[in-house]
Amino acid sequence: MKQPSAIFIFPSMLRETKKIRFTIGSDNILRTECFPDTIMTLEDGRESTKVSAEMVNHQPHPLLCDLTNVIKMTQECRQHFAGPEHATTFSKCALIVSSPISKMIGNFFLGLNKPLKPTKLFTSKEEGLSWLMTKD
Amino acid sequence: MRIDIDNSYLAKNPETKSVSFQDSENSKRLGDILDMIGRIAALDFTAVLNPSSKNDVVDAIAVGLNMLSEELNSNVVEKTKLDEVNCKLERFAHTTAHDLKSPLNSIVGLVTILEIALKPDKDSEVHSCLLKIRETTTQMKDLISGILDYSKIAGDEIQKEKIDLNEIIFEVSNLDGILSRAKIEIIDILPTILFNRASMVQVIRNLLDNAVKYSDKKMCLITVRVKEMCDHYQVSISDNGPGIALENQKRIFELFTKVNLSKPDSQGIGLATVRNILETEEEKIWVESSLGEGTVFTFTIKK
């Protein structure tokens, strides 16, 4: 299982919970990366949103979220990430899904939960970052 | 899960044999997935697959099935709750409408007594007021009857019997005085069907009454046809009325929807009741119409 890496990150601020590492670089993009074999519950989702909101000073920022190491995300957690609270913290979201399970979770999230903010799946961080940097 | 292996092929390709046995773990995982699909198909959402730590395609399918099962379970639970609430609301509507009938009948009686006692001049304000009270009360009674017809479908267990559609159309046309206002042509021989008699009378009555009520011709012409399909009949009732605009055609089956505002006595319940009766029996109804070219209502009845 891949460990979180610092590639393409220019950390000016870093925080960690038990399951997620959060970094925000000079490009103003918040990056989140889960530790190996992470199971995301509603509680973890809420904590993640809270930490993120504090890091971006409650101003909507783009999010690069690496789901590769996630092996399960509960229904309530997906609903939380698709809902209004998360949409006020993030302007758009690139989900990195480079493992089979994370691809499945990402597709379910987009198809069933229909997130309020613009959200897309990518298999590489470069593509995700490139999309986040484009102006709508 | 049973896997059939061609032995002659294995004899020629021994490496395949070893790979096949190495795959026994995958076979078990795939077998679990098949079981899970079977349980989901049987609407049993209690099973949960435990993915391995490989994070491979099989694990992804297992995680996907777990999520699908969870979502379907939520939808089923939600639907069950909604059905219960709907049932309670329909019973409430039925009880309320039923309880309102009695005081309304008293009002009609009191108006009659007032008319007899006061003997108002036909040009007087008293006469005009009493007339308005009578008209309004009649409208309310029609509304309440409509709500009762609509809501009683959900409450009772429906008894089915063999009924001749020709008889039903004849009975409704005569008893409701439709023949004095319309000409009815039955083009095909109508079948005998298995349905609740009172419900089918309601369906035919509402459809015929609708054709007559909204007719813009001197003589309303109603045509009844039947088309025999492999497992059901399609019964069509068409008229030579003004037709229904395309944008209103879906709305007309919704409760309390009135698309023709020139008819103040319309309650917007009749077609909703028809649809409710038919859908309760898993039948369908649809409308085809063009403005100025009449309307055709078609409903299905199982053989």
Side-chain angles (χ1 to χ4, degrees), chain B residues 21-300:
Chain B
F21 285 110
Q22 279 172 9
D23 281 352
S24 63
E25 190 195 339
N26 277 344
S27 296
K28 164 139 191 355
R29 294 162 77 199
L30 291 172
D32 290 344
I33 284 172
L34 280 179
D35 286 345
M36 176 80 166
I37 292 170
R39 291 179 73 166
I40 290 174
L43 301 182
D44 172 4
F45 306 115
T46 55
V48 178
L49 289 167
N50 292 314
S52 71
S53 53
K54 293 180 179 174
N55 202 337
D56 58 6
V57 176
V58 180
D59 276 344
I61 293 169
V63 168
L65 282 174
N66 283 343
M67 288 192 288
L68 188 63
S69 177
E70 205 176 13
E71 292 288 346
L72 287 171
N73 189 39
S74 300
N75 286 347
V76 168
V77 169
E78 212 164 297
K79 188 183 174 300
T80 308
K81 279 183 191 166
L82 276 175
D83 285 348
E84 279 171 17
V85 170
N86 271 340
C87 193
K88 279 181 189 169
L89 278 173
E90 285 187 358
R91 281 179 196 281
F92 172 74
H94 188 83
T95 311
T96 309
H98 188 264
D99 291 352
L100 283 171
K101 267 177 97 173
S102 175
L104 267 179
N105 284 332
S106 303
I107 293 172
V108 174
L110 286 169
V111 170
T112 308
I113 291 168
L114 271 176
E115 279 171 343
I116 293 166
L118 296 174
K119 292 188 182 74
D121 192 84
K122 282 194 175 174
D123 299 327
S124 71
E125 206 173 331
V126 173
H127 179 263
S128 154
C129 284
L130 287 174
L131 202 64
K132 275 181 189 161
I133 293 172
R134 193 179 279 283
E135 282 172 4
T136 312
T137 315
T138 306
Q139 274 180 21
M140 277 188 78
K141 279 180 78 177
D142 289 347
L143 178 63
I144 284 166
S145 298
I147 292 171
L148 278 172
D149 288 339
Y150 182 85
S151 59
K152 76 180 170 193
I153 299 154
D156 307 325
E157 195 181 322
I158 293 169
Q159 298 289 326
K160 289 183 190 176
E161 59 186 295
K162 276 190 175 178
I163 48 172
D164 183 347
L165 268 182
N166 295 285
E167 270 180 30
I168 300 285
I169 290 185
F170 182 77
E171 181 185 315
V172 172
S173 313
N174 279 293
L175 290 180
D176 291 14
I178 287 172
L179 286 178
S180 63
R181 295 171 288 159
K183 186 182 171 196
I184 300 179
E185 281 183 0
I186 301 177
I187 304 289
D188 307 300
I189 298 168
L190 301 180
T192 296
I193 56 168
L194 192 64
F195 211 86
N196 177 266
R197 187 179 177 84
S199 298
M200 187 44 66
V201 165
Q202 190 78 57
V203 168
I204 299 294
R205 173 176 288 145
N206 287 4
L207 291 176
L208 294 184
D209 192 51
N210 223 50
V212 173
K213 192 194 287 180
Y214 295 105
S215 176
D216 57 351
K217 305 289 186 301
K218 271 189 180 173
M219 176 55 80
C220 170
L221 180 64
I222 298 171
T223 311
V224 185
R225 288 187 170 85
V226 65
K227 197 192 277 186
E228 187 169 356
M229 313 302 277
C230 62
D231 59 349
H232 68 276
Y233 298 102
Q234 286 186 0
V235 182
S236 300
I237 296 181
S238 56
D239 64 54
N240 61 342
I244 303 163
L246 191 63
E247 64 268 24
N248 290 330
Q249 288 179 17
K250 273 191 181 171
R251 293 175 55 229
I252 54 170
F253 293 107
E254 290 167 15
L255 192 59
F256 300 128
T257 297
K258 300 177 207 175
V259 296
N260 189 338
L261 299 175
S262 66
K263 296 284 174 191
D265 57 332
S266 166
Q267 311 296 345
I269 300 177
L271 288 175
T273 303
V274 169
R275 186 178 70 168
N276 203 18
I277 289 170
L278 292 168
E279 287 190 349
T280 303
E281 292 300 314
E282 295 178 343
E283 303 293 359
K284 291 175 191 159
I285 182 164
W286 63 92
V287 63
E288 292 158 277
S289 183
S290 298
L291 280 177
E293 292 177 22
T295 302
V296 185
F297 284 98
T298 305
F299 60 91
T300 63

